[in-house]
Amino acid sequence: MPYFEGSDGTSLFYTDWGQGKPVVFVTGAWLSSSSWEFQMLPLSEAGLRCVAFDKRGHGRSDWVGHGFDYDTLADDLAALLECLDLHEVTLVAHSMGGGEVLRYLTRHGYDRVSRVVLMSVTAPLMAWSPDNHDGIDQGAFDALLTERSKDRPRWMAQNAQAFFATHLGNTISTELVEWTVRRCLDCSAKAAVEVIRTGFRTDLREEAAALRVPVLIIHGDADASAPIGLCGRRMAKLVPDSVYKEYPRAGHGLFMTHADDVNQDLLDFIGATSTLGGINCPG
């Protein structure tokens, strides 16, 4: 299986499908590269080269106990782009993966990247601060983290429906919900805690405002994990050259529940000439 060396020698798994313009998918917390199958399969068959990797502590990558800060995670992403020598890349990030992409561009520049997609991202700042009064209180965050850590499988199963916003009519099979929960559990307990802490406390407002490539922002207005008023709409105001797409009644897992819409928006933004060709997604 294909692996590359992360910034500190950590062994990281990646998937590489198709030919054409490179699109690199960056997962959020807990999920691995397999969660992008509803984008990678149709887009690779539509003429794009689709690459995704398992974050350290996740999936088939080394379950190390360190390096879950954005600097290290961004350097891991840089190592992947350098290993495959990718250029004119579209970076597609979900949830806290958006922070990895922002920090990558801050630390490594734009030589390899031509555009960015920020999907349901937890940026620019989740935590309350004196100049971020709509943010989440540290005590509430710590209580939620404690509850989740006591029984991670049970917490994941109980919150899966909110992830997909099925209470608003989004259709997804029971089997796919269970499959996603298993993917979320396929990371170490250490990684599960540390990446969430990183995503919660890191202030990315200045980095978002400094972006110098075209950016597509996609967010669901029923996102329980990254509230739209705190995240998606604020990112749309901060990022200079951005297109903002707001999906009605979509939750945090919109890349599965609204896969066809997401994929068409990606193709349009990337400028791919091919179409999806009738590939069915679970939207």
Side-chain angles (χ1 to χ4, degrees):
M1 292 191 293
Y3 286 86
F4 69 100
E5 265 196 14
S7 54
D8 57 0
T10 300
S11 182
L12 303 174
F13 174 85
Y14 73 95
T15 303
D16 186 356
W17 297 346
Q19 303 292 325
K21 296 179 181 179
V23 183
V24 175
F25 294 89
V26 184
T27 62
W30 313 331
L31 290 166
S32 64
S33 55
S34 61
S35 65
W36 289 111
E37 70 170 73
F38 301 113
Q39 281 67 53
M40 290 188 61
L41 181 58
L43 267 59
S44 64
E45 294 188 357
L48 296 170
R49 181 180 180 183
C50 296
V51 179
F53 68 103
D54 292 357
K55 208 186 311 294
R56 59 177 56 221
H58 293 64
R60 288 157 284 189
S61 292
D62 283 353
W63 283 25
V64 293
H66 60 276
F68 301 110
D69 58 284
Y70 272 139
D71 285 355
T72 305
L73 295 173
D75 291 349
D76 287 344
L77 174 58
L80 173 65
L81 301 191
E82 292 164 10
C83 174
L84 299 180
D85 194 23
L86 299 178
H87 296 272
E88 298 183 24
V89 175
T90 299
L91 293 174
V92 179
H94 177 255
S95 195
M96 70 157 292
E100 293 173 57
V101 167
L102 291 172
R103 187 58 52 85
Y104 167 85
L105 294 171
T106 299
R107 290 171 67 81
H108 299 278
Y110 294 81
D111 289 348
R112 295 181 181 272
V113 177
S114 60
R115 63 186 65 81
V116 168
V117 179
L118 300 175
M119 191 183 310
S120 308
V121 295
T122 53
L125 177 60
M126 295 284 286
W128 184 94
S129 67
D131 61 349
N132 192 45
H133 288 281
D134 294 331
I136 300 168
D137 178 74
Q138 181 71 49
F141 172 79
D142 290 341
L144 180 62
L145 197 62
T146 299
E147 179 189 353
R148 183 188 299 128
S149 298
K150 283 181 179 178
D151 191 337
R152 198 158 47 113
R154 184 172 183 267
W155 188 94
M156 295 287 185
Q158 288 180 336
N159 286 272
Q161 299 301 330
F163 180 82
F164 295 113
T166 54
H167 61 292
L168 297 177
N170 295 313
T171 303
I172 192 164
S173 71
T174 300
E175 292 81 5
L176 187 50
V177 171
E178 293 172 349
W179 179 86
T180 305
V181 170
R182 290 196 298 273
R183 299 288 78 73
C184 286
L185 292 170
D186 195 19
C187 68
S188 73
K190 178 71 171 175
V193 168
E194 294 299 334
V195 292
I196 291 298
R197 285 176 174 154
T198 294
F200 175 76
R201 67 192 176 200
T202 306
D203 188 345
L204 297 163
R205 289 176 291 185
E206 290 186 6
E207 290 170 77
L211 282 171
R212 294 191 286 107
V213 290
V215 179
L216 172 62
I217 300 169
I218 299 174
H219 217 98
D221 69 3
D223 193 325
S225 301
I228 193 166
L230 186 61
C231 299
R233 291 173 185 164
R234 288 197 175 178
M235 288 297 290
K237 292 178 180 179
L238 279 173
V239 177
D241 184 10
S242 64
V243 174
Y244 180 56
K245 297 264 188 171
E246 190 168 300
Y247 286 19
R249 299 178 301 281
H252 203 54
L254 55 76
F255 62 100
M256 292 185 185
T257 58
H258 294 68
D260 288 339
D261 293 332
V262 167
N263 295 344
Q264 192 59 60
D265 282 339
L266 291 177
L267 284 175
D268 292 343
F269 182 64
I270 294 166
T273 55
S274 301
T275 60
L276 292 174
I279 296 173
N280 293 319
C281 300

